[in-house]
Amino acid sequence: MDKKAISERLRTLAASSNHRSKAALLRDVIDDVEAALAAGISRSSIVEALSKHGLEISLSTFDTTLKRIRQKRGKLSNPKAQTASQPPKLRELSPTEDETEAHEENPVVGSHNPADLDKIIGSKPDLAALAKLAKRKPR
């Protein structure tokens, strides 16, 4: 076994695009692909450009491969995927009496403000008031 010859042959194969997978070829240009996506270029336009330069890949294969490469790199640039995999950390709020009273007088209904959600999540429920509202089962 000639170790030097094997190493040289493997380097030659790695440099040749004929024997490499589509994922490997996409990994070679992933930084340029990410830059194009960040610039607002559509995925279909990127796939078309890749096809013109010898990387024949379907849009669905591109999407799957891109997702896998991003996962391996440890950075998901898709916000939906990021929120699904890692819930955001919320800051803890401890409302004062004045804030609690003001909130009870003017409850926020149907708000889309993230600060209101933080207040709701960070607040402690009034268990005594909730117990009064609960229906009691006859014994």
Side-chain angles (χ1 to χ4, degrees), residues 10-32:
L10 290 175
R11 281 192 212 111
T12 305
L13 284 173
S16 171
S17 63
N18 296 340
H19 301 288
R20 297 181 66 211
S21 68
K22 292 177 183 180
L25 295 172
L26 186 58
R27 268 193 304 273
D28 288 346
V29 295
I30 191 65
D31 292 329
D32 298 321

Side-chain angles (χ1 to χ4, degrees), residues 50-102:
L50 292 171
S51 294
K52 285 181 183 178
H53 292 282
L55 178 54
E56 296 289 330
I57 189 169
S58 69
L59 185 59
S60 63
T61 302
F62 172 79
D63 288 338
T64 303
T65 307
L66 180 63
K67 178 183 168 189
R68 288 178 180 164
I69 291 171
R70 285 175 172 169
Q71 285 175 340
K72 264 192 173 172
R73 292 177 113 191
K75 64 175 190 180
L76 293 172
S77 63
N78 183 353
K80 289 181 183 177
Q82 188 172 13
T83 56
S85 64
Q86 296 175 348
K89 293 183 179 179
L90 300 175
R91 57 189 170 103
E92 291 188 26
L93 297 177
S94 54
T96 63
E97 269 186 44
D98 296 335
E99 290 174 341
T100 306
E101 289 173 9

